Amino acid sequence: MKWYPWLNAPYRQILSCYQQGRGHHALLLHSQPGNGEASLCYAINRWLMCRQPNDSKSCGVCYSCRLMMAGNHPDFYQPEPKEQTLGVDSIRTIIDSVYGRTRQRGRKVVSLPHAEQLTEQAANALLKTLEEPPEDTYFLLVCKKPARLLPTLRSRCLYWPLLAPNEALGLYWLGQAGFDDTLSACTALRLCANAPLAAEALLQPARWQTRLALCTALQDALANGDFLTLLPALNRDKDDEPLHWLLSLLTDALKWQQSAQEYLVNADRTSLVTALAARGSAGVLHAQWQQWLLCLRQCQEISGVNRELLLTQHLLDWEKGVAHTYTFQ
């Protein structure tokens, strides 16, 4: 397990509640991707299962700790999703187990590191157990998008947001990890909402070059007026990140027009941002931003969408200066 300094405070705060006998039986951690949430979840699970914890640390030597490290503790339950969903059968099997006798005479812990993958049936099956949990049984749920959870499920948990570290700490950590280009590291952090692990993944050479290629293609398209040259950079199978990058550049162009340069996300591409800002009024840029947001939603939500055709249409509209007005729910 890798540990990260920005997790120290939430980890100690959560454990303090359990140490004082005030720990909730169902904890819902809300974290954006790449914030170290998996490490925090594992550390809490280890401490809960340890038979002789040393203050805020699991001992690592008791039989329960050894079983956890081996990945086969009989009183620890972490179902594996199938095709990105957690079905009702898996949850019912766990529920039957936690109402039985503990096998190691300690606590029972149910870990759901991707709680938003619960199907509606699975979530409903879990509700009754969360209302009346067996003795010494704890549930640890982690989710990236709480809105995807049933409101009744959220209401039965103690909601705990896991905040990303500030930019200075993120830059320091990335510097320690070997990323010494401060401007690139700063941009990566801002593109990833300050989540350091996500920024580290984005800064990997192949991924970072993909972003730089999009920026170069956009710069060329603005110069020569041929926006279809952007298609290869945007049309990446099941990869929506280039569209997020494009939206961030349009947002930066709006910030530039409002003299809010200190809040730019793409701090390493100010020349591209200024070129975008010069293309039209704030109203035109905002309409284009809405148009590309619609494109992103269509790619994400329409099953079997012809991605290449959809992107081509939006690029042609952009090239012709067509700005539609959309209403989003």
Side-chain angles (χ1 to χ4, degrees), residues 187-262:
T187 300
L189 277 170
R190 293 178 182 183
L191 284 167
C192 298
N194 273 7
L197 274 69
E200 181 188 30
L202 175 56
L203 285 167
Q204 297 305 311
R207 197 61 182 161
W208 194 244
Q209 285 302 316
T210 299
R211 173 185 171 266
L212 295 181
L214 171 66
C215 292
T216 300
L218 180 55
Q219 189 94 51
D220 292 342
L222 291 170
N224 59 36
D226 185 4
F227 281 72
L228 280 180
T229 57
L230 276 170
L231 185 59
L234 292 173
N235 187 27
R236 306 179 68 84
D237 186 38
K238 297 181 180 179
D239 183 0
D240 295 325
E241 199 165 19
L243 284 172
H244 284 284
W245 297 334
L246 179 57
L247 283 164
S248 74
L249 287 162
L250 287 167
T251 303
D252 279 348
L254 286 164
K255 294 175 186 175
W256 191 276
Q257 288 187 342
Q258 300 302 315
S259 300
Q261 288 87 345
E262 65 270 29

Side-chain angles (χ1 to χ4, degrees), residues 47-307:
W47 188 89
L48 286 171
M49 298 304 291
C50 180
R51 300 301 299 274
Q52 46 190 33
N54 179 16
D55 190 22
S56 62
K57 296 182 179 180
S58 52
C59 70
V61 296
C62 71
Y63 188 53
S64 186
C65 279
R66 295 201 301 271
L67 286 172
M68 285 292 289
M69 288 186 285
N72 57 6
H73 198 298
D75 295 319
F76 177 74
Y77 307 92
Q78 184 170 297
E80 291 296 327
K82 295 180 180 179
E83 298 180 357
Q84 302 299 310
T85 61
L86 278 173
V88 65
D89 291 338
S90 297
I91 297 302
R92 283 174 177 165
T93 299
I94 289 174
I95 291 172
D96 290 342
S97 299
V98 297
Y99 277 105
R101 180 182 301 177
T102 177
R103 301 182 188 180
Q104 292 298 318
R105 299 181 180 178
R107 297 183 176 120
K108 290 170 280 189
V109 173
V110 179
S111 178
L112 300 174
H114 304 284
E116 58 266 74
Q117 294 179 342
L118 287 165
T119 64
E120 186 173 351
Q121 279 187 314
N124 282 321
L126 190 60
L127 283 176
K128 182 65 175 178
T129 307
L130 291 180
E131 287 178 350
E132 301 176 6
E135 187 177 1
D136 286 332
T137 300
Y138 295 89
F139 296 83
L140 182 55
L141 291 75
V142 182
C143 71
K144 311 297 190 301
K145 298 179 179 179
R148 291 188 176 180
L149 297 179
L150 289 179
T152 47
L153 184 67
R154 297 201 306 267
S155 69
R156 286 159 177 77
C157 301
L158 174 63
Y159 173 77
W160 196 291
L162 183 61
L163 303 179
N166 60 43
E167 190 172 282
L169 179 54
L171 286 172
Y172 173 78
W173 184 82
L174 287 172
Q176 294 294 104
F179 299 100
D180 52 6
D181 183 341
T182 303
L183 194 56
S184 294
C186 178
T187 300
L189 277 170
R190 293 178 182 183
L191 284 167
C192 298
N194 273 7
L197 274 69
E200 181 188 30
L202 175 56
L203 285 167
Q204 297 305 311
R207 197 61 182 161
W208 194 244
Q209 285 302 316
T210 299
R211 173 185 171 266
L212 295 181
L214 171 66
C215 292
T216 300
L218 180 55
Q219 189 94 51
D220 292 342
L222 291 170
N224 59 36
D226 185 4
F227 281 72
L228 280 180
T229 57
L230 276 170
L231 185 59
L234 292 173
N235 187 27
R236 306 179 68 84
D237 186 38
K238 297 181 180 179
D239 183 0
D240 295 325
E241 199 165 19
L243 284 172
H244 284 284
W245 297 334
L246 179 57
L247 283 164
S248 74
L249 287 162
L250 287 167
T251 303
D252 279 348
L254 286 164
K255 294 175 186 175
W256 191 276
Q257 288 187 342
Q258 300 302 315
S259 300
Q261 288 87 345
E262 65 270 29
Y263 300 108
L264 294 184
V265 170
N266 298 277
D268 63 336
R269 287 295 177 268
T270 54
S271 62
L272 175 55
V273 170
T274 56
L276 277 169
R279 276 189 60 82
S281 66
V284 169
L285 281 176
H286 188 260
Q288 291 169 347
W289 182 89
Q290 286 183 307
Q291 192 165 327
W292 282 108
L293 179 59
L294 175 68
C295 180
L296 173 62
R297 290 186 174 181
Q298 289 170 327
C299 288
Q300 292 176 332
E301 298 172 6
I302 301 177
S303 179
V305 66
N306 187 325
R307 191 183 187 95

